[in-house]
Every structure is written in C-alpha cells, then in structure tokens.
C-alpha cells in the first residue's frame, strides 16, 4: 500500500432514488468533491448500494489505483458493512473506507435545497479530510474455547445450559438459591395450555442435575469478573449447604428440626424448617440447611436432631461456610430473571395490610398442590372458601406518573396470568364469582386470545375500569369501588379475596450484575440488548449474551426461545474457536507514556495495566476512547478514531463560514442513532449543525471542542447516552465531568460558556435530538454568536450551476 | 419555643375554639404561638390555572409579614391555610421568575426573598416537640377512648404539599396514641368532606359527612378529630341535616385535635361547647374524662 | 342550565384552552378509571371524571354543561392516583375557568340563607364558583 504522498480517494455521491437527490443537488456535490485535496475521482450514482455500483467501485479501485473510498449516502449504520466488503473484495483494507451521511443527517431533515446542498458539501469535505488520514488495520483473532458460564438457574438459565451442554460445551450454571427452577418452579399451571408447571420443568431440572457437561453451583454468586471473550476469569462465592451428596432425600431430618420460619418459596404463606427443600422434585435433590435460621452455627453444635435422624450421615456442619471458586470461561449467558413487583410499595391496594389481598404469585402457591394449602383455595384471614374473587390488573404497571411507585411499561404477562388463574379457580370452585378488573386485556400470543374467550364463556366477568383503592370491611371482606367504563356507571363490589396482578421488574441484583460484567441497562432497569431487533440476545460486550426476563418481562415460552437463541449465539463463537476483533482498540505510544496510570484507572474494562508504561489488552479493549481523552500527554491513540482524524473533521466542517456552524459530537450508540432516528422520522432541525461521530462521548478530547471554538464555530454540542445507558458503562459521565471542566476553561478564556452544551439523547429519541439541536441553535442566536445561514438563496447554487455548465 | 403563628380567618370567628385550644395545648408543651402581625387572608383555596399569579399575592404577602418579623417558619392550625400558604411558598421557591413578577407587583411591600417554611401544628408536634414529649405532658390519659382521625384533603394532597403519605397517613394516629386514646382506622379518613359545597349544596355535603361518620362509627369510633374548620363544620353541623335524611343516625362528636390534646393535658377550660353542634361534653363526662 | 349557550368554542379551541389553562396533557389518559373510582363526588355527577376527559379528547364542548365540573371540589384524590400523571383537578378548574371568565357564574351569593358558615367556606365557594 502506498503510504507516502497524496492519497487517491474515490468519492461516490448517492442519489438514493429521490431520497437524497430530491433535495440535494447531487451533481453539484460530486463536482465540489472533485476539487477537494486527495480526491482522484468523484461520481454520482443512482443507488450506491446496488451490486452494479459495488462492482464499479471495485473496478475503480483497481483501475484508478484508489487507496481510499468515501461514499456519501445513508447512515453508516445501514451500509458501512456493505461498502467495507466491497473494499475487501477489491483488495483494499476495509478501514480505508469512510461514509458521509447525507440522507438521515441532511436530505431527510432539511427542506431547503440550497442549505441541504451546502451541508452535503461540508459533510463530504469532512469525510474526505478524515479519509486522507485513515490507516489500515489488521483485525486480530483471539481463541475462544468451549466453556460457558450461565448466571441464573431459572427456566432461561436451565434451557440455555442444557442446549450448550448437549452441544458438547462445558457449562457452569451458577444459582444463588440452594435449588434451581426459579419462578417457574413456583407456578401451578402454565398458560395457555394449562400444563402442570412442575411436571414439565422437573425433567429439565433433573437433566441439569445429572448432565456430565454441566457443573451446577447452587447457593453461589458471582463475585468478580475480569477478562474478555475466550478468556473470562470469574470468581464465584459458594455458601455451604451443610448437606452432602450422600443425602438420599428421605426427609427424616425435616420433622425433627425444631426451627420453623416463613417459607419464601411459598411467598411466606407457609412455614418451612431450617433443613428444607423447595419442592419434592427439587434439584439438587439433597436437602439444604438454612444456616441463618438453624440453631447451629458452623462448627458450633447446639442441636443434633437432624444429625441423629440422618441415616446416610449426609449432614456435615464442618463444611467451611463459604468457598471461593475461580472459573475460566469463554462465553457468558446472563439469565438472572426478574422480580415480581411488590405492591406494598404503593399503599393504595392494601397489600401487606389486609390479609385477603394477595398477589398473583402468592396465589400460584395457594393453588399449587405443593403449596401451603395443598392446592385448596382458602382465603388467608379465616381459611374459608372464598366465594367472590377479584383480580386487579396492571398493579405497578403502566405508571408513567413519576410521583407514583411502579413501572411505566406493560409486563405483557399479567393479563394471561390472571385469566389462567381465574380458569383454574373455576375448575376448583365452580360456584365462585370471579371478576377481573382491567384497563386493556393483552392477549397476544399463540393460544392466548382463545383462552381469553374461554374465560369469558366460563362466566368470568371482565370489568373495564380499575378500582382506586381496596377498602377492608369488618368481616375482612374487601370492597372495590370504581367505574364500569363501558357502562359509564359506578360499581361497588364486595369480594372475599382480591388478587393483585403484578408485573415483573428488574431484579434487585441487576445493578450488581451489570457492574460485574460491564453491561448496559435500559431506563427500565432491564439489561440492554445490542440491537432491539437484529441482535436481541447479544450485549454490547462480545461473548456475553442475555436470556429470559433479565432482558425484559417474558413468559416461559419467550424465555425459552431467548435462552435457546443465546445458547446458539454462544455456541457459534465457541464452535468457530476464534473471533475477529474489530480494530478499534487503544494503542499506547510508549515513547510518550509517563506511566501515570490515569488510563488504567478510567478504563471500564480493565483493559489497561501499567508496567512502567501502559499496555493495552487488545482483546479486552472495547474501543471507547475514554483513556485517550484522559491521557495528559496524548500518548494513547484510538485506532480508527485518532485525534488527527477527528480534528481533520472539525477543521473541514469549519473551513467555510464557521460562524454559521454548530459542531455536534455524538456517540456511536445512542446519540448518533438518535440523529438517524430524527432522519427516518423526517423531523426537521436546524441545518447549521455538523455531526462528528465518536465511539463514546467519553472519547471527547477537550482539544476537539477548543479547536472548534478557535476556528470560530458558533457552538459545540456534546451528546451521548443517558446516564446509566452508556455502552461503555460510564463514558458519558466522563464526558459530563470533562464538559464541566471545559466550561470553566471557556470562562477563563473569556468565551461565553453557553456556547458549549451537553445533552443526553437515546437511540430512540429522534424527536429529542431535533429538539435539543433546535433549542441550542436558538440559544446561540440569542447570544448573537450564530449567524443566519443563507436561506433559499439561489446565488451559490446558480453560480455553481453556471460553473458546471461552463 | 416561640414560633410565628398564622391563625387565619375562621379561627378568629366561627372556629375560635380551635384557636383557643391550639394556644392552650401548645403552651402546655412550652410552645408559644406568636400571632403574625398584620396578617391577611391566606388566599383560601389554591387557584389551579397556569395564569393565576394574581391569586398568589395574598399568600405571598403573609410570607413577607413573616420575613419582616425575622421568622424563617410560619405555623398554621387550619389545614386549608396550611395548604394554600405552603403551595404558594413552594411555588415561588421553584419559580424565581414568578416571584420577581409578584415582587414587582407588590411594590408597596418589601421584596419577598424566599425561605419561609410553612408548617402545620401537627408537623411541629411530630418533628420538633415529638410525640413522646406530648405523651409525657398528658395528665389525664384518654384511656379506652376510641377516636377516629379525619385527615380530609388538604393535610395530605397533593404529594409534596401534604405532610404525610397521602394513601396511608399516620400522624394523627400517633398523636391519638400519645394522648392515651385508641385510634380507629377508617378507610374514608382521607376522603373529602364536601368542602365549600356546604354553601350552596348542603345535601351533597350531608351525604358525604353521613358516609364518613357512619363508616367511622361502624368501626367503633366514639369521636372524630379534625384539623380544619370547614371539615369540622361539615362533619359536625351538618349532622342536623343528616338526621333529617336518616332518623337512625346517632350523633358523633367532632373535635379539633387540639381540643383532644387540651383534654388530655387537663386544660378543661379550653374545651367549651361553643363551636360544636354536637356538644362533646356530656359524652366525655360520661366517660369520666371531663369533670361535670 | 345551559352554560354554553353563549359560548362559542370549537372542539380544537376547547382542547387548547383546557390544556393551556391546566398545563395538563389530557390526551395521555388511557381510561383506567381510577379518577372516577376514588372520586368522593362520583355518585353525584352526571359525567364521571374519566368521561370528562374523554369529552375533552373528543372535543365535545357540551362538557361545559356538565354538573361534574362544579361538583369537583379539588380534593386531589384523582390527582395523586392518576398513573399518567394528569392533574385532573387542574383540568376541572380549567373547565370552570372557561365558563367563569366568560361571566357564567355558578353561585349567586344573594340567594344564600342566613346560616352562619365558616369564613373559609364562603370565600372558597366564591373563589371557585364566581368569576
């Protein structure tokens, strides 16, 4: 590859039918590109992404000895991979490609052809300036072995573990409780088929227990994680069970145990002993001792009743109370599930205050043959048979009022849970009057609508309109007052038992797990997938996948589907035995590095260690660039996002009439995608903005903004993911502190600090992106630093048209 | 302790017994209520439109009076005054631009600089005096007396203005317990009594009051306590109309919480028949909580 | 009484005026009915509070004839419970104000009897019911 002298850049401007050409004067832009330094040829094409055009580009690369390619078309999120592949087909390194987004960022958001054409020229000039400095990189390969870690032993973890183990991979399944099965083990029947939950789950659990490829670690939690795909090092802390595998599960120990505590598996509706089992079919089959409640302490025996009763001598109080295990795994599946919403957080329905108000998950234990009433439906206050039973839907769900407890989303499962439970009650108590108070019934799923119809025909009353509160009467019955919305009339109904249909929310432990594995969560608290549609089980971290309700509320079927998908995604990596890592890592220029260690302390991925000078573990580096922006001596270069490349874009954006320009730095994941969303939604915004994409807002070297001001930019807007949603954990918070610093600096330089702004925009917030940009432009105009752009002034375009003709 | 006190109009007229008992009971706890000088109407009900700055002038002027007196706090007994003054105080605190306009308009007054906290007597009892101190001051424990606390709207709502959890308040219950009586929980304790509809729709208010009183009575309440002159009027005086509508209705005494305090503190003179439709004295005498 | 006889408002004007005066997004309502369910005056009303919101969303100006908007005493029970964060008490106030600002009072002080009332009852009533 020719590295010296002027590069030979090919520039291709796409019409995208009329998507671009309908607004932008594409030919004028191509003409303009020809005059830019380093450009060997510039063309306009009807559809740059067509196979014919691809072949033309390949041909040009070979015939015209092009060594860089710029395509001005749609978002790189759309077609960058397409064009990179074309470069590779032509024998050119794929990192020598650059895209100018003149559709989502230009023709779709600006109506004024003159302004849009001017902006397209700027975007091409910026892309060409960056392309001149592009460097070819070789992607490294790292080996990936055949060991997987599955965190969480509910149905999703079980399904994923079994699929991987059956495919020949070694699986460590870590479960924090002493038994696996999760919430599914608590359920009586499942919708819509009314299969017995334990009957279909127990064989799966047993298989996990005996599978030669699965190491089941119960009573265990992940404590520390380091490394990366192919080389995760995981520290697991396991609490002692005090019962050895010699246990035959005969159960002789249980009746002699003197301690009885509320049974959490039965939602506290019954009692269990200190030596116990969740279910007769529990896995592992051995009993477990709850040492918190047992009279004995490790190595301090005051009660020997169970020891005496145990004929196989399987009880051992001398086990060390905890042990630490160091695992090495290649891939990870997060399947920690979700928590049911706790309605005692909001006082309105009297949960926790009135005995006969229970939740749907409580009711599962009440109706289960293995539950505290052995499956008899009894009301808690007097163990009488309830005659009038109410379900209240959407408890803790669909609440967008920030003053109230609850979650804004619909959990999607609660309607079917109530309908199922209502039908089960009808089977056991045919005379019971059952009313379901609802807002909307959501029955989307195979067989769901049919079940809803069955419930209506079975005489279950569906009343549209939620009660506002539950009132307890002196006989412990409950009165619900509300509006029957379809009648527009008030109801006042008495019920013996009120069942609150609660949704699911992110596990309490989610934050801990997020930090341990360096993952992202969305604003609802659930783990964020890499792409909501096309990469629904991947995370932004290669080698870590999501299964089940950890990602969003799910029923059993959806959890299984996702678990199996996650297993196959993990297997795909492990089967290949190696993985190519995108060449976006940091590189330390050792001759400049002073070994101060700041980079090591800011790296969210433990990818840098200091040993005299800093060293980057390329496979662990995710390429966010927080280290490079933090390095006081500029010793860290980010591959493909070098300081020089970004500065070249800043300079190109401000080459012409800088006082009319606003520089917007975006992160790759949220705000750039948010700008794309503004484009696809055709939301118009101020045409004076020029976007520069970084991988993370934390990459923003203060120098980038200062250079923009130095060149006369009206303003600089830094955008990134909302706090808590950063794809690199906390890069956006680094951006925030750097922003504060920059503002102080601007003040001391005598510049108006209002010319710098920082805003969070998520990938879905196209509308917000447009609003933020417009508000900032408005502010800059009021400050008098932003000059009015030339409007629909034919002057420039006509002049150029003239030149073209001439 | 001395604290600036805003009595409001009703406590100077029809609800003078609320004012008298409040001063007596608080005095017994070592809290002197110092009446604000030149106070004016609190504004009565908060206006709820976005363009109602005019309606904030009255409450803000009272805050200016407190500021002039060098006070950082202003305590009220009337729930309605409390709500209206506090809303105005919070609003101008959150919207300095609105305060600037109000100050400009009130050009005959010194500027309000913000920072006056509006308190209700109950908050003062809970957060500063403490219910333990209240219990210690009791000389005649109201043992066995079953009292239903009635909160109404304005002590509780909206969130951020109210002084307790709007769905599950407990401050009055704590006070009742501190006085040695037994709180009776009624699900209607936070429901509106009918408010100003008592002016033109007496029967609507009577139906509300009937429901609230009957619910409390059915749960064993022998008396009801309130913190609002309007609630008290509706729950007490409207019993005349309730009896016209329902002959079987048994009268239920309605007291201000401060009257109950005065009783337990042995300040019998603070408990007079004036201000009550259902005279609470015969019943209290019968229960030997009041000397004949 | 026909309050809106003299009031000429289009559907859109009604919606805009209600939203402007109340500062609330009425269209966020998804009809759970909790406002009606907790309303202490619901049994006295011709339209339920939820129906009032639906009338506004449908642009039906006859909502101004409803007894409901005058019965609402701004007790804020609906306000603290609305899952969509609509301050319904403010919406009711906006509807009252649309009438009061056009001279359509709902209380005639002269017609009141001799009964001695708490001062705050009279002032509050006057503030809410007279323009």
């Amino acid at each position: 590859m020719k590295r010296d002298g002027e590069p030979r850049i090919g520039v291709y401007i796409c019409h995208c039918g009329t998507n671009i050409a309908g607004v932008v004067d594409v030919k004028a832009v191509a003409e303009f590109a020809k005059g830019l330094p380093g450009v060997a040829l510039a063309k306009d094409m009807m559809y740059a992404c067509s196979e014919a055009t691809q072949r033309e580009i390949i041909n040009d690369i070979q015939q015209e000895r092009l060594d860089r390619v710029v395509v001005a078309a749609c978002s790189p999120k759309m077609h960058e991979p397409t064009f990179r592949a074309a470069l590779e087909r032509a024998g050119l390194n794929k990192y020598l490609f650059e895209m100018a987004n003149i559709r989502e960022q230009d023709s779709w958001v600006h109506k004024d052809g003159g302004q849009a054409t001017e902006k397209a020229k700027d975007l091409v000039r910026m892309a060409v300036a960056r392309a001149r400095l592009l460097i070819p990189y070789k992607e490294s390969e790292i080996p990936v072995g055949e060991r997987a870690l599955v965190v969480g032993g509910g149905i999703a973890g079980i399904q994923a573990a079994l699929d991987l183990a059956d495919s020949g991979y070694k699986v460590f399944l870590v479960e924090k409780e002493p038994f696996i099965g999760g919430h599914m083990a608590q359920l009586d029947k499942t919708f819509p088929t009314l299969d017995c939950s334990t009957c279909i789950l127990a064989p799966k659990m047993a298989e996990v227990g005996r599978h030669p490829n699965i190491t089941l670690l119960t009573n265990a939690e992940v404590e520390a994680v380091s490394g990366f795909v192919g080389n995760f090092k995981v520290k697991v802390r396991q609490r002692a069970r005090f019962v050895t595998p010699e246990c035959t599960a005969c159960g002789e120990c249980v009746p002699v145990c003197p301690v009885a505590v509320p049974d959490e598996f039965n939602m506290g509706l019954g009692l269990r002993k200190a030596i116990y089992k969740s279910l007769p079919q529990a896995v592992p089959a051995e009993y477990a001792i709850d040492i918190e409640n047992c009279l004995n302490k490790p190595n301090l025996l005051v009660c020997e009743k169970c020891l005496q009763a145990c004929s196989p001598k399987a009880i051992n109080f001398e086990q060390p109370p905890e042990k630490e295990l160091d695992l090495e795994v290649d891939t990870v599946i997060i399947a920690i599930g979700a928590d049911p919403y706790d309605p005692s957080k909001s006082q309105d329905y009297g949960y926790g205050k009135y005995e006969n108000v229970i939740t749907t998950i409580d009711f599962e234990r009440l109706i289960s043959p293995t539950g505290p009433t052995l499956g008899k439906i009894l009301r808690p206050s007097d163990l009488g048979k309830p005659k009038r039973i109410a379900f209240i839907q959407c408890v803790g769900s669909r609440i967008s009022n920030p003053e109230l407890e609850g979650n804004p989303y619909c959990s999607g499962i609660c309607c079917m849970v109530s309908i199922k439970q209502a039908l089960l009650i009808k089977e056991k108590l045919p005379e019971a009057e059952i009313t379901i108070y609802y807002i909307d019934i959501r029955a989307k799923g195979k067989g769901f609508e049919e079940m809803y119809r069955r419930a209506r025909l079975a005489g279950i009353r569906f009343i549209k309109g939620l009660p506002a509160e539950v009132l307890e009467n002196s006989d412990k019955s409950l009165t619900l007052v509300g509006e029957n919305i379809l009648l527009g009339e008030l109801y006042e109904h008495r019920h013996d038992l009120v069942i609150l249909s609660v949704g699911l929310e992110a596990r309490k432990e989610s934050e801990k797990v997020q930090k341990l594995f360096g993952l992202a969560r969305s604003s609802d608290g659930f783990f964020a997938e890499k792409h909501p549609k096309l990469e629904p089980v991947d995370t932004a971290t290669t080698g870590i996948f999501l299964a089940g309700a950890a990602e969003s509320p799910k029923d059993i079927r959806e959890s299984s589907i996702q678990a199996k998908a996650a297993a196959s995604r993990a297997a795909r990596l492990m089967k290949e035995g190696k993985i190519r890592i995108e060449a976006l890592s940091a590189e330390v220029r050792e001759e400049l590095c002073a070994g101060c260690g700041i980079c090591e302390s800011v790296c969210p991925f433990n990818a840098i260690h200091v040993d005299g000078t800093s060293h980057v573990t390329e496979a662990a580096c995710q390429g966010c660039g927080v280290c490079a922006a933090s390095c006081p001596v500029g010793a860290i270069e980010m591959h493909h996002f070098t300081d020089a490349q970004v500065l070249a874009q800043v300079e190109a954006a401000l080459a012409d009439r800088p006082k009319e320009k606003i520089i917007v730095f975006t992160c790759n994941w949220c705000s750039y995608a948010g700008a794309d969303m503004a484009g696809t939604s055709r939301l118009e915004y101020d045409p004076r903005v020029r976007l520069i994409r970084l991988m993370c807002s934390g990459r923003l070297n203060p120098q980038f903004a200062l250079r923009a001001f130095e060149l006369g930019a009206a303003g600089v807007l830094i955008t990134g993911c909302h706090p808590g949603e950063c794809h690199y954990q906390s890069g956006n918070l680094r951006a925030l502190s750097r922003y504060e610093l920059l503002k102080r600096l601007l003040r001391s330089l005598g510049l108006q600090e209002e010319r710098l702004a920082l805003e969070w925009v998520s990938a879905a917030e196209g509308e917000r992106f447009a609003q933020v940009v417009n508000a900032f432009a408005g502010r800059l105009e009021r400050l008098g630093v932003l000059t009015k752009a030339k409007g629909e002034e034919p002057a420039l375009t006509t002049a150029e048209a003239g030149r073209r003709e001439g | 302790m001395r604290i600036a006190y805003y009595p409001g109009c009703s406590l100077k007229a029809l609800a003078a017994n609320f004012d008298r008992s409040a001063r007596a009971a608080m005095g017994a706890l070592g809290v002197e209520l110092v009446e604000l000088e030149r106070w004016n109407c609190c504004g009565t009900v908060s206006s709820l439109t976005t363009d109602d700055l005019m309606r904030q002038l009255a409450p803000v002027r009272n805050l200016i009076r407190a500021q002039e007196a060098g006070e950082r706090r202003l305590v009220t007994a009337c729930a309605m005054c409390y709500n209206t003054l506090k809303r105005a105080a919070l609003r101008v605190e959150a919207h300095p631009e609105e305060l600037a306009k109000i100050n400009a308009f009130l050009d005959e007054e010194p500027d309000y600089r913000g920072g006056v906290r509006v308190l209700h007597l109950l908050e003062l009892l809970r957060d500063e005096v403490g219910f333990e101190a209240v219990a210690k001051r009791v000389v005649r424990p109201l043992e066995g007396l079953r009292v239903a606390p009635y909160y109404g709207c304005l002590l509780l709502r909206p969130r951020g203005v109210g002084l307790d959890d709007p769905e599950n308040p407990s401050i009055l219950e704590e006070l009742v317990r501190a006085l040695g009586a037994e709180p009776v929980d009624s699900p209607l304790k936070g429901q509106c009594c009918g408010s100003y509809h008592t002016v033109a729709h007496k029967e609507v208010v009577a139906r509300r009051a009937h429901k609230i009183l009957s619910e409390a009575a059915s749960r064993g309440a022998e008396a009801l306590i309130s913190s609002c002159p309007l609630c008290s009027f509706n729950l007490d005086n409207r019993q005349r109309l309730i009896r016209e509508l329902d002959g079987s209705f048994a009268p239920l005494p309605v007291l201000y919480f401060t009257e109950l305090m005065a009783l337990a503190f042995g300040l019998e003179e603070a408990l007079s028949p004036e201000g009550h439709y259902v005279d609470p004295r015969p019943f209290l005498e019968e229960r030997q909580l009041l000397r004949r | 009484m026909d309050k809106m006889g003299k009031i000429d408002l289009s559907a859109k004007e009604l919606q805009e005026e209600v939203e402007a005066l109340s500062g609330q997004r009425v269209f966020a309502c998804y009809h759970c009915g909790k406002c009606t369910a907790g309303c202490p005056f619901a049994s006295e009303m011709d339209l339920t509070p939820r129906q009032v919101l639906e009338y506004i969303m449908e642009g039906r100006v006859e909502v101004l004839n409803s007894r409901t908007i005058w019965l609402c005493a701004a007790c804020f029970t609906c306000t603290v419970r609305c899952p969509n964060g609509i301050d319904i008490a403010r919406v009711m106030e906006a509807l009252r104000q649309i009438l009061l600002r056009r001279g359509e009072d709902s209380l005639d002080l002269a017609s009141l009897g001799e009964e001695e009332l708490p001062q705050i009852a009279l002032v509050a009533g006057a503030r809410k019911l007279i323009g």
Side-chain angles (χ1 to χ4, degrees), chain A residues 176-179 218-220 238-245 247 251-261 264 272-278 282 284-310 313-322:
Chain A
K176 74 174 180 348
E177 300 295 329
F179 304 98
T218 52
N219 258 347
Q238 188 174 31
R239 296 178 306 279
R241 191 177 196 88
F242 302 107
V243 180
T244 68
C247 170
E252 298 291 341
C253 50
V254 175
V256 300
C257 176
V259 176
V261 293
E264 56 286 281
R272 66 157 170 80
K273 295 300 182 68
I275 186 161
Y276 72 107
K277 222 174 164 172
S278 57
E286 302 98 81
Y287 277 75
I289 290 176
D290 161 16
I291 199 71
E292 294 291 306
N293 287 302
C294 175
L295 298 175
N296 296 326
K297 296 289 155 258
N299 297 315
L300 177 64
L301 294 192
V302 295
C303 166
E304 300 194 3
K305 292 220 162 80
C306 57
L307 285 161
Q308 286 156 5
C310 182
K313 302 289 167 224
I315 295 171
N316 177 6
F317 281 101
E318 280 160 25
Q319 285 183 352
E322 304 188 337

Side-chain angles (χ1 to χ4, degrees), chain A residues 198-467:
Chain A
T198 318
C199 312
I200 56 176
L201 176 64
K204 294 273 180 195
M205 298 197 298
E207 222 179 314
V208 167
R210 64 168 180 265
H211 205 296
N213 282 342
I214 297 180
T215 306
L216 176 57
L217 301 169
T218 52
N219 258 347
E221 284 177 69
V222 174
E223 283 300 310
V225 182
S226 63
F228 44 88
V229 59
N231 191 17
F232 288 109
K233 295 186 170 53
V234 181
K235 200 177 277 301
V236 173
R237 197 161 52 88
Q238 188 174 31
R239 296 178 306 279
R241 191 177 196 88
F242 302 107
V243 180
T244 68
E246 276 76 54
C247 170
T248 57
C250 67
E252 298 291 341
C253 50
V254 175
V256 300
C257 176
V259 176
V261 293
D263 184 352
E264 56 286 281
F265 187 77
N266 281 330
M267 305 307 291
L269 292 170
L271 297 173
R272 66 157 170 80
K273 295 300 182 68
I275 186 161
Y276 72 107
K277 222 174 164 172
S278 57
L279 277 175
Q281 303 91 328
V283 171
E286 302 98 81
Y287 277 75
I289 290 176
D290 161 16
I291 199 71
E292 294 291 306
N293 287 302
C294 175
L295 298 175
N296 296 326
K297 296 289 155 258
N299 297 315
L300 177 64
L301 294 192
V302 295
C303 166
E304 300 194 3
K305 292 220 162 80
C306 57
L307 285 161
Q308 286 156 5
C310 182
S311 41
K313 302 289 167 224
I315 295 171
N316 177 6
F317 281 101
E318 280 160 25
Q319 285 183 352
E322 304 188 337
K323 59 181 175 184
E324 278 196 352
L325 303 159
D326 289 305
L327 310 180
E328 290 192 358
V329 295
D330 301 283
T331 56
V332 176
I333 293 178
I334 304 290
I336 66 166
D339 284 328
Y341 174 76
D342 174 6
S344 63
K345 288 196 280 191
S346 52
Q347 289 289 337
D348 42 355
Y349 288 145
Y351 183 72
K353 186 173 166 192
Y354 304 143
E355 285 172 90
N356 294 326
V357 177
I358 63 172
T359 66
T360 39
I361 184 91
D362 297 337
F363 184 77
E364 289 291 339
R365 296 316 299 151
L366 208 56
I367 197 172
S368 166
T370 63
T373 60
L374 304 177
K376 284 203 182 67
I377 304 171
L378 303 176
R379 64 174 209 160
S381 66
D382 56 3
L383 302 184
K385 211 186 270 183
K387 293 189 187 67
R388 299 154 301 183
I389 301 172
F391 289 86
I392 302 177
Q393 295 308 114
C394 297
V395 174
S397 299
R398 305 179 66 191
I399 293 172
S400 55
N401 181 347
E403 289 187 348
L404 297 178
E405 287 290 339
N407 299 302
Y409 51 85
C410 165
S411 280
I413 60 162
C414 335
C415 286
M416 293 315 293
V417 169
S418 296
I419 291 171
K420 171 197 78 177
Q421 293 185 347
L423 281 167
L424 294 176
I425 297 171
K426 270 284 169 208
E427 265 177 33
K428 293 203 178 187
L429 304 173
E431 295 85 48
E433 292 167 25
I434 305 168
T435 312
I436 297 181
Y437 298 94
Y438 72 100
I439 311 174
D440 301 288
I441 291 291
R442 290 179 176 170
K444 190 216 80 82
K446 194 169 175 172
F448 290 10
E449 183 61 32
E450 292 87 332
M451 190 181 206
Y452 176 25
R453 177 180 157 86
R454 218 153 74 228
R456 297 194 306 273
L457 295 178
I460 291 155
R461 278 296 298 138
F462 287 82
I463 294 183
K464 187 171 165 75
L466 298 186

Side-chain angles (χ1 to χ4, degrees), chain B residues 33-276:
Chain B
L33 301 179
V34 184
E35 188 168 329
L36 202 64
E37 279 183 35
R38 293 164 59 219
W39 57 267
N40 56 249
C41 173
C42 65
T44 322
V45 272
S46 270
S47 161
L48 299 172
T49 54
T50 49
D51 59 353
D52 63 346
L53 271 194
M54 204 64 173
R55 293 288 183 90
Q56 309 305 320
L57 301 181
V60 168
R61 196 184 279 112
N62 286 312
L63 301 175
I64 293 172
R65 293 284 88 83
Q67 178 180 285
E68 272 175 349
E71 299 287 347
R72 305 293 289 170
R73 300 183 304 175
L74 183 60
V75 70
T76 72
C78 167
M80 201 176 247
C81 300
Y82 165 73
N83 196 284
T84 308
L85 290 171
K86 185 166 176 188
R87 282 185 87 138
L90 293 175
R91 177 167 165 178
V92 296
E93 218 67 63
H95 298 281
E97 73 288 354
E98 293 192 350
L99 178 57
K101 269 193 201 168
I102 291 172
N103 278 333
F105 189 86
L106 290 174
D107 53 0
E108 81 286 12
E109 298 282 359
D111 278 1
Y112 177 57
R113 296 186 300 274
V116 173
R117 227 180 109 213
V118 176
L119 286 172
H120 189 268
L121 277 184
L122 285 166
E123 284 175 298
L124 198 67
L125 288 170
R126 177 187 63 192
D127 303 334
E128 298 192 34
V129 176
F131 289 126
E132 273 175 32
V134 172
K136 275 193 196 136
R137 180 61 187 78
V138 170
V139 296
R140 189 180 300 154
L142 309 177
E143 261 161 46
L145 188 67
R146 292 197 301 275
V147 180
Y150 176 74
Y151 289 86
C153 313
L154 299 170
L155 285 184
L156 300 178
R157 295 183 292 268
R159 261 188 202 81
V161 179
L163 50 75
D164 207 341
D165 179 342
E167 296 289 359
N168 198 26
S170 60
I171 191 166
L172 281 171
E173 279 81 351
E174 285 175 57
L175 176 66
V176 168
R177 269 188 222 103
L179 301 177
E182 183 192 324
V184 174
D185 190 29
S186 161
L188 305 187
K189 65 186 176 187
Q191 274 201 2
C192 181
C193 65
S195 188
Y196 55 78
H197 287 315
T198 211
V199 175
H201 299 287
K202 293 185 185 41
E203 66 303 333
V204 170
V205 171
R207 284 194 288 271
R208 291 295 319 141
H210 188 197
K211 204 165 173 195
I212 292 165
L213 294 165
S214 308
E215 188 65 42
S218 78
R219 285 162 195 268
E222 300 166 290
L224 195 127
I225 52 167
S226 133
S227 72
C228 171
L230 180 47
C231 300
S232 284
F233 179 86
N234 286 346
L235 294 171
D236 185 11
N237 296 54
R238 289 287 170 247
Q239 291 190 31
R240 183 201 306 271
L241 190 52
I242 294 174
R243 296 199 59 182
E244 284 170 25
L245 301 169
D246 172 9
S248 68
F249 177 81
L252 193 68
V254 178
L255 296 154
Y256 291 109
F257 69 93
T258 47
E259 291 181 305
L260 201 66
M261 288 169 71
L263 186 66
F265 293 170
L267 309 167
E268 292 184 4
E269 63 286 0
L271 192 67
S272 58
E274 296 95 64
H276 292 280

Side-chain angles (χ1 to χ4, degrees), chain C residues 2-128:
Chain C
D2 188 358
K3 292 265 180 197
M4 33 164 302
K6 286 165 265 168
I7 291 180
D8 184 25
L9 271 180
S10 71
K12 194 151 184 291
E13 284 164 345
L14 171 77
Q15 291 160 348
E16 283 172 358
E17 195 159 342
V18 166
E19 294 210 338
L21 282 174
S22 67
Q24 301 301 306
R25 300 293 302 271
V26 174
F27 286 86
C29 172
Y30 59 39
H31 297 291
C32 68
K34 280 193 177 188
C35 47
T36 305
C39 179
F41 300 101
S43 60
E44 312 264 353
M45 290 170 166
D46 50 0
L47 294 179
T48 67
R50 179 199 62 79
Q51 283 175 320
V52 167
L53 296 187
E54 179 64 14
Y55 267 62
I56 298 167
M57 286 190 269
E58 277 288 296
R60 288 173 60 169
V61 185
E62 62 266 37
V63 69
L64 295 170
N65 273 334
S66 169
R67 172 177 158 84
T68 298
I69 63 178
W70 299 106
L71 272 168
C72 165
C75 77
F76 303 111
T77 306
C78 49
T79 299
V80 299
R81 286 181 178 154
C82 175
N84 289 302
I86 307 170
D87 189 339
I88 298 152
R90 284 185 181 274
V91 174
M92 296 291 181
E93 181 103 330
L95 292 168
R96 287 190 293 266
Q97 284 291 324
I98 287 175
L99 290 165
L100 294 175
R101 292 179 187 196
R102 289 163 171 83
E104 301 294 331
D105 290 354
S106 182
L107 176 70
D108 178 11
L109 281 177
S111 72
L112 297 181
E114 296 290 299
E115 187 182 29
E116 193 186 0
L117 293 163
Q119 287 62 29
I120 50 176
L122 283 166
V123 183
R127 287 258 156 112
K128 291 286 179 188

Side-chain angles (χ1 to χ4, degrees), chain A residues 143-166:
Chain A
V144 181
E146 302 195 329
R147 302 151 306 176
L149 168 71
V150 177
V151 186
I155 185 58
I158 289 171
Q159 292 281 58
L162 285 174
D163 273 15
L164 287 171
D166 286 345

